[in-house]
Amino acid sequence: MVESGEFWNRLFFNYKLSRFVFSLALLLIVLSVGIIREGFGYSDYSIAVLSIYPTVSLLSLSYRKVNFLDFILDIVFISVLILSNIVNWQYFSIIYLFPLFFSAALTGSNKAYILSLLAFFFYAWLLFLTNYDVLTLSLKLSLNFLAFFLIVN
């Protein structure tokens, strides 16, 4: 029989391993598309950002203890990814839900609510950088606020 603590530690390790695979695949896809479009002289500041994320994700695989800073790291890098506007950033905003869900499931503490507030403020800041009308902006903020807190609950 699997011990409860072992299950959660294994789940967290699988989360971190999936994060590494996702970040590495994203880097390779963006780099490949850039090289195909512009040749081998392709350079973009987003490539630097995207290369930091898999590096840090790989390093975080070395410890298996659940660490809340991993989830903060994810929120920050997702926000930077959206800000870099590599692709249509609206599609990547749903990725915020993964660290929120896993932080609530794995930490089971009020820190998950703090993380959802952090994600909401990052997302709101990114929305304010765009030129939305007030109605669209308030609707997007309201729906995301609701989604972030529902996923944590």
Side-chain angles (χ1 to χ4, degrees):
M1 186 167 156
V2 176
E3 198 176 302
S4 177
E6 183 182 331
F7 169 77
W8 292 111
N9 284 336
R10 190 174 297 162
L11 180 67
F12 185 59
F13 179 77
N14 289 336
Y15 169 77
K16 293 193 311 183
L17 184 62
S18 300
R19 175 182 60 196
F20 169 69
V21 170
F22 169 76
S23 61
L24 185 62
L26 187 64
L27 172 65
L28 293 175
I29 288 169
V30 169
L31 192 58
S32 301
V33 169
I35 289 173
I36 289 170
R37 286 185 179 170
E38 299 179 24
F40 284 103
Y42 173 70
S43 66
D44 188 4
Y45 76 94
S46 59
I47 297 298
V49 171
L50 285 176
S51 63
I52 292 170
Y53 194 35
T55 304
V56 172
S57 296
L58 180 64
L59 292 175
S60 78
L61 287 172
S62 64
Y63 64 95
R64 291 190 175 217
K65 187 177 178 185
V66 175
N67 189 350
F68 189 70
L69 292 176
D70 275 309
F71 302 115
I72 293 174
L73 172 79
D74 290 339
I75 295 296
V76 169
F77 273 111
I78 291 167
S79 300
V80 170
L81 174 67
I82 293 170
L83 184 62
S84 66
N85 201 16
I86 296 166
V87 291
N88 193 350
W89 65 271
Q90 292 176 355
Y91 298 115
F92 279 100
S93 63
I94 198 164
I95 299 174
Y96 278 124
L97 298 179
F98 290 103
L100 293 176
F101 171 77
F102 282 103
S103 71
L106 293 169
T107 63
S109 67
N110 291 333
K111 291 179 181 178
Y113 290 107
I114 295 169
L115 189 67
S116 65
L117 277 176
L118 179 69
F120 175 74
F121 286 127
F122 273 126
Y123 184 73
W125 176 64
L126 292 169
L127 278 179
F128 283 122
L129 291 177
T130 60
N131 294 324
Y132 284 111
D133 60 284
V134 176
L135 181 63
T136 305
L137 183 66
S138 60
L139 182 64
K140 283 184 177 225
L141 285 175
S142 301
L143 290 175
N144 279 290
F145 182 78
L146 181 66
F148 289 172
F149 279 98
L150 284 178
I151 199 76
V152 168
N153 278 332

